[in-house]
Amino acid sequence: NLSLSESDYYFGGVELGEKSGFTVSGAGDVDGDGRDDILFAADHNHFWGYATGKVFLILAENLGKDRWRSLSTADYIFTAETSEDLLGHGMSPAGDIDGDGLDDFWLSAYIDNKPHFENGSAYLIYGSDLQEEQSVSFKFFETMPLGYPAITIEGECGYGKNNIILKDVKFKIGGGDRVGIIGSNGSGKTTFLK
């Protein structure tokens, strides 16, 4: 038996909860050095919001002698621009699709909501494209920014006029704000949201 503490390399994630290593794949030889390179997915990376997803490409020639390596130091980082795309949930080598002598690879964002709800997307990345750029972003349809406030809440809520749960409620939620509602069972959280 070989303990994982004795592995040749250890690749550590970047953000809490991003699920680095959920998917790992060979990329093929994308840089033409004769060695296969490695793709690591963190499909729940929250770069642009919940579960945007990131893919990290590490070139075999740059592995070095240090056993531990943070994925933040990857040679290339691919990021989807909107939340809930789950970029990297699927990845695979594609061979040399364009015939230039460098291997290419596939990335998927299987929940991608553009232009339709959860229609998903697959992206082909040519190895030759990586010779010019150190970072690739996927651009999707532009969204209209929300004005401030996006939502204004004033008043009271409850179970009819005789069973008021919250009184004199007044607050505003702006675009990009995050709100959490916390309370024990039966305290009126769901009623408040209605």
Side-chain angles (χ1 to χ4, degrees):
N1 290 342
L2 177 67
S3 167
L4 290 177
S5 65
E6 299 174 45
S7 65
D8 296 307
Y9 289 96
Y10 169 88
F11 299 91
V14 179
E15 290 182 11
L16 179 67
E18 72 179 2
K19 299 186 180 180
S20 293
F22 178 81
T23 309
V24 178
S25 175
D29 182 11
V30 301
D31 59 351
D33 68 350
R35 295 184 282 179
D36 287 342
D37 306 303
I38 312 162
L39 293 166
F40 297 88
D43 66 350
H44 278 71
N45 181 281
H46 305 310
F47 189 78
W48 291 115
Y50 176 74
T52 301
K54 275 189 179 182
V55 173
F56 305 89
L57 172 64
I58 295 184
L59 302 176
E61 71 177 345
N62 296 333
L63 282 175
K65 294 183 181 190
D66 289 333
R67 177 183 176 272
W68 191 91
R69 180 161 181 185
S70 170
L71 291 176
S72 66
T73 64
D75 296 292
Y76 298 92
I77 300 173
F78 304 86
T79 306
E81 287 193 313
T82 59
S83 65
E84 298 182 11
D85 284 343
L86 294 173
L87 179 67
H89 194 77
M91 309 177 298
S92 72
D96 184 9
I97 298 264
D98 58 352
D100 64 357
L102 299 174
D103 285 339
D104 312 310
F105 57 91
W106 291 101
L107 303 178
S108 75
Y110 91 104
I111 297 290
D112 178 21
N113 291 313
K114 281 90 39 215
H116 305 291
F117 179 70
E118 292 188 359
N119 66 311
S121 297
Y123 304 93
L124 176 63
I125 308 296
Y126 291 139
S128 58
D129 290 342
L130 301 176
Q131 307 312 309
E132 301 167 9
E133 297 287 331
Q134 290 289 7
S135 179
V136 176
S137 290
F138 299 103
K139 182 75 172 159
F140 299 111
F141 296 105
E142 295 295 325
T143 57
M144 184 77 112
L146 295 174
Y148 191 83
I151 298 172
T152 301
I153 298 174
E154 293 184 39
E156 58 188 32
C157 70
Y159 302 101
K161 293 182 181 180
N162 296 328
N163 193 5
I164 302 300
I165 303 285
L166 296 171
K167 242 180 159 175
D168 299 322
V169 174
K170 184 176 184 178
F171 64 93
K172 297 176 182 181
I173 301 172
D177 289 351
R178 294 176 187 233
V179 177
I181 299 177
I182 301 170
S184 61
N185 288 343
S187 64
K189 298 181 301 291
T190 303
T191 300
F192 175 71
L193 291 174
K194 290 179 183 178

